[in-house]
Amino acid sequence: MPVKKEAAEMSAFERRRMENMAANKAILTDISVTAKKIIPEKKPVAKSSAPKRKRETVKREPARPTRMSSRLAGLEADTDDLKQKLAADIEKDAAEARPKRLRISSDLQLGDVAVEGKKYGSGVDGLKGLVRGAEPGVRTFTEEDVKETTDEGLKSLRQKMGSLKLYEHWLPNEIKITPQRVYALGFHPTEEKPIVFAGDKEGAMGIFDGSQTAPEGDDDDEEAGAANPVISAFKTHARTITSFVFSSADVNAVFSSSYDSSIRKMDLEKETSIQIFAPSDDSEDLPISALDMATSEPNILYFSTLDGGVGRYDIRAPGSDEIWTLAEQKIGGFSLHPLQPHLLATASLDRTMKIWDLRKIVGKSDLRHPSLLGEHESRLSVSHASWSAGGQIATSSYDDTIKIYDFGDAGSWKPGQDISPSAMEPAHQIRHNNQTGRWVTILKPQWQKRPQDGIQKFAIANMNRFVDVFASDGSQLAQLDGEGITAVPAVAHFHPTLDWVAGGNGSGKLCLWT
């Protein structure tokens, strides 16, 4: 009679792996249940009646010359040309320093791409002394500024925003939301609790549930005191994740874009990640720098590219993508007007902010593009152009300014209507240190999309390790700080409706104010 063997005891590594998988599954299930409680408004969905178009070949610029030293190029130290060259080199390195063909095209089960705990928990804090001009901990907006405010409405708003508190259960250094530097953040629109998504420079996605509390224990219980927050982390892209977009029609859908030339859709309920878009030619490299979606058209995705293009893609019709060349250099950020989604604003390395009208497409063949309504040129490259629901556009630029343009009458514009040069001038300019260098993610203003209090405001990181909050008239409302912030929370975002702010830093750590 054969001897019955007893099952081998599970190793510590295998036990930890199973615990990680169970924790990830529990978090996704909880987020999915929470998301279902959101009752989305019924939005008209645009019907696509246009026939499928064969993708047109985009003309490529000739190869750029080999880079040389600033001295040999004839650029003196600290000149505008040198700063422009540095900005271009930073973006070129980010996009070109990796293999051309590197993309995850297959469907993924999130449990199979979860990042393991020990490898995920490593990393260094802060990047001291690497950025010239930053003064860590030195405030540029203080309590005295609030006290001296004479306008009672503004003073009340400043007191309200200044009262936001840093998440208390763990210090920012203990909330490692991604393995590497944070490049993109997104708040899930649920108002039940703060749920933050983050993407890093190597394609990992982290999810943090802000309702977690630290385990209680005795003062002598070192194990309880050392417990880390539960974070789900998944390797969904092969290169830098650049944007998150949340569907207005499906609370479980989270879209992400990447320098690996793809857009993927995560389903929180099914616990899957599928590729929605990528170039039809597997060898083609089309790094995607930003992603957006109109609330009224939840099946249409818009994206920008590092070679100056903006694309439109209907997820219901594979092969329906069309890409317009709108700039000679990288478009680093763009956005759709939240209430007039036919209006698109782009920010480019060519120093311009431009406004386009999607209702009027001009040109033929690969020269087709939306009608250009107006543009404004800055002294140095423009990093991002963000529309508010009130019609303002906020931009950040390497000329160390935040510019706010006021287009409150945009709803009355006719298709293709030109905007006068005077109307394209910024209504407000704010001095702001935007010199991030190579080791801090580029600073970009992000508006609160649907503020409950009706006050248009945006968040942007401060190189002195704060997050600044500004109103649409350029007034500073707050400078968020807290104990344990050891690096610049460079990627800053508002929750769509509530006064919650998140910031991600260069070592993958998260700051959360509520």
Side-chain angles (χ1 to χ4, degrees), residues 214-218 221 224:
E216 295 183 1
D218 298 332
D221 188 352

Side-chain angles (χ1 to χ4, degrees), residues 187 190-196 208-211 495 500 512 514:
F187 263 106
T190 179
E191 297 180 355
E192 183 173 315
K193 58 184 177 181
I195 300 173
V196 183
F208 175 70
D209 179 353
S211 67
H495 183 274
W500 296 340
L512 175 63
T514 58

Side-chain angles (χ1 to χ4, degrees), residues 158 404 428-430 447 458 469-477:
R158 283 176 165 174
I404 302 176
H428 310 282
Q429 290 198 60
I430 305 166
W447 293 93
F458 65 86
V469 180
F470 293 95
S472 59
D473 64 356
S475 301
Q476 182 153 7
L477 303 181

Side-chain angles (χ1 to χ4, degrees), residues 90 131 398 433-443 463 490:
I90 292 170
V131 180
Y398 268 89
N433 180 8
N434 298 325
Q435 304 302 314
T436 54
R438 293 182 181 274
W439 312 110
V440 177
T441 303
I442 294 173
L443 310 187
M463 288 298 293

Side-chain angles (χ1 to χ4, degrees), residues 110-178:
L110 297 183
D112 297 335
V113 292
V115 181
E116 293 296 341
K118 289 185 179 180
K119 185 185 296 183
Y120 175 58
S122 64
V124 294
D125 297 332
L127 296 163
K128 296 181 180 179
L130 295 178
V131 180
R132 184 179 63 181
E135 299 179 274
V138 177
R139 297 185 67 89
T140 55
F141 182 76
T142 67
E143 292 183 3
E144 289 301 316
D145 293 312
V146 178
K147 291 178 181 178
E148 294 173 1
T149 305
T150 56
D151 185 297
E152 290 301 320
L154 177 58
K155 185 173 184 178
S156 175
L157 185 56
R158 283 176 165 174
Q159 290 172 337
K160 173 187 173 185
M161 295 307 303
S163 67
L164 297 183
K165 299 298 182 185
L166 193 63
Y167 184 77
E168 62 182 357
H169 300 293
W170 284 278
L171 293 173
N173 272 349
E174 298 172 317
I175 310 176
K176 189 166 175 61
I177 193 168
T178 57

Side-chain angles (χ1 to χ4, degrees), residues 3-234:
V3 179
K4 191 175 182 179
K5 295 183 179 180
E6 295 183 2
E9 184 179 352
M10 185 181 295
S11 68
F13 174 82
E14 184 66 18
R15 185 165 54 253
R16 178 60 183 272
R17 192 178 75 86
M18 297 298 291
E19 289 172 356
N20 283 342
M21 292 176 63
N24 286 334
K25 183 177 180 66
I27 286 182
L28 290 175
T29 301
D30 182 53
I31 294 174
S32 178
V33 171
T34 301
K36 287 181 178 179
K37 295 180 181 179
I38 303 174
I39 304 176
E41 298 180 7
K42 293 184 178 179
K43 305 286 183 180
V45 178
K47 296 182 178 179
S48 177
S49 58
K52 297 181 181 178
R53 283 196 188 91
K54 183 178 178 181
R55 181 180 171 143
E56 298 166 347
T57 303
V58 179
K59 288 185 177 179
R60 300 289 176 187
E61 295 182 10
R64 297 175 185 174
T66 303
R67 281 177 284 168
M68 62 179 70
S69 73
S70 300
R71 178 180 61 80
L72 294 178
L75 301 177
E76 296 182 2
D78 295 325
T79 65
D80 291 348
D81 288 338
L82 182 56
K83 290 183 178 180
Q84 183 75 5
K85 181 178 182 297
L86 174 61
D89 287 351
I90 292 170
E91 301 310 324
K92 188 177 181 70
D93 288 345
E96 298 179 359
R98 300 176 179 86
K100 287 287 185 182
R101 176 65 179 97
L102 190 61
R103 184 158 61 242
I104 303 172
S105 59
S106 60
D107 295 353
L108 301 173
Q109 292 293 326
L110 297 183
D112 297 335
V113 292
V115 181
E116 293 296 341
K118 289 185 179 180
K119 185 185 296 183
Y120 175 58
S122 64
V124 294
D125 297 332
L127 296 163
K128 296 181 180 179
L130 295 178
V131 180
R132 184 179 63 181
E135 299 179 274
V138 177
R139 297 185 67 89
T140 55
F141 182 76
T142 67
E143 292 183 3
E144 289 301 316
D145 293 312
V146 178
K147 291 178 181 178
E148 294 173 1
T149 305
T150 56
D151 185 297
E152 290 301 320
L154 177 58
K155 185 173 184 178
S156 175
L157 185 56
R158 283 176 165 174
Q159 290 172 337
K160 173 187 173 185
M161 295 307 303
S163 67
L164 297 183
K165 299 298 182 185
L166 193 63
Y167 184 77
E168 62 182 357
H169 300 293
W170 284 278
L171 293 173
N173 272 349
E174 298 172 317
I175 310 176
K176 189 166 175 61
I177 193 168
T178 57
Q180 302 296 328
R181 176 165 25 134
V182 175
Y183 258 76
L185 276 184
F187 263 106
H188 193 282
T190 179
E191 297 180 355
E192 183 173 315
K193 58 184 177 181
I195 300 173
V196 183
F197 288 71
D200 76 5
K201 70 173 186 176
E202 294 187 353
M205 177 190 300
I207 308 172
F208 175 70
D209 179 353
S211 67
Q212 295 181 58
T213 58
E216 295 183 1
D218 298 332
D219 293 339
D220 297 332
D221 188 352
E222 295 183 2
E223 184 176 347
N228 293 321
V230 176
I231 294 172
S232 291
F234 309 97

